[in-house]
Amino acid sequence: MRKPTFTFIALLIATSFTPAQGPPPALQDRFLDNFVGEWRVERKFGNGRTAETSVRAEWVLKHQFIELHYGYADAKPEYEAIVFIGFDDAAKNYICHWVDVFGAKDSELGRGKIDEKLLGIEFKFGKGELTNKFTFDPQTKTWTSLIRQIENGEWKTFAEEKWTKQ
């Protein structure tokens, strides 16, 4: 490739991603603010097995998303995920991008709404469905998460989580 062509293409790419107005104002969301911090998460699976992990949550990308990093402080995490939750003002719902150790085929985009202190996120993938309902208790400052999925045509509990701030 000739140098002038390469320079032109690089300039074209750089300018095509420059927003005309700049980023929107920081997302102000008191519910999502409750995620910020470092957490110890106890997970009980539907089959009775238990596991424990760490989660760090912080505002990222110019305060547009809360990022949850599962397994961030574990020496050799069995499970690791990066999760982004933000608000789509046009659609008036929450968006959740879930990326984990199971790779791209199981990475998902979920949508959800808040009902008082409950954030319910629905994922539809492949031939199945999954819901993750985060509930914040303002008195104890803890989170619970109930993850359910369709298994053989019926809704079953995949896991229940209890989040305690470290």
Side-chain angles (χ1 to χ4, degrees):
M1 179 180 284
R2 295 184 349 223
K3 191 171 186 169
T5 305
F6 175 76
T7 304
F8 173 74
I9 291 172
L11 182 60
L12 182 64
I13 290 170
T15 58
S16 67
F17 292 109
T18 305
Q21 300 172 338
L27 176 61
Q28 302 301 316
D29 191 302
R30 291 185 306 192
F31 186 80
L32 293 181
D33 281 341
N34 292 310
F35 276 113
V36 174
E38 295 183 358
W39 301 87
R40 198 79 213 137
V41 177
E42 298 171 20
R43 180 180 286 162
K44 181 178 179 186
F45 292 92
N47 63 9
R49 186 173 74 89
T50 61
E52 198 171 298
T53 192
S54 59
V55 174
R56 178 186 314 163
E58 60 187 333
W59 284 103
V60 297
L61 301 173
K62 297 198 182 275
H63 214 274
Q64 295 299 317
F65 291 90
I66 201 84
E67 176 189 60
L68 309 176
H69 184 173
Y70 281 78
Y72 83 96
D74 304 349
K76 291 183 179 179
E78 179 180 329
Y79 180 74
E80 190 173 9
I82 304 289
V83 179
F84 295 95
I85 303 173
F87 188 73
D88 179 350
D89 196 46
K92 300 295 185 219
N93 64 18
Y94 287 82
I95 301 296
C96 179
H97 300 268
W98 199 289
V99 181
D100 64 18
V101 297
F102 294 104
K105 73 176 183 62
D106 290 321
S107 297
E108 287 302 325
L109 173 68
R111 295 190 177 270
K113 296 194 181 288
I114 288 181
D115 178 15
E116 294 180 30
K117 60 181 181 176
L118 170 77
L119 171 60
I121 301 173
E122 294 182 3
F123 296 93
K124 294 184 180 186
F125 55 95
K127 295 180 181 177
E129 293 183 42
L130 180 136
T131 62
N132 191 341
K133 295 185 178 179
F134 289 99
T135 305
F136 183 70
D137 183 335
Q139 291 182 326
T140 61
K141 306 276 190 233
T142 58
W143 285 96
T144 55
S145 170
L146 176 61
I147 305 165
R148 301 187 76 219
Q149 65 185 9
I150 292 182
E151 224 176 84
N152 298 323
E154 293 182 42
W155 282 99
K156 304 258 177 150
T157 296
F158 173 74
E160 293 179 74
E161 298 177 334
K162 177 163 179 151
W163 295 40
T164 308
K165 208 156 207 181
Q166 294 194 60

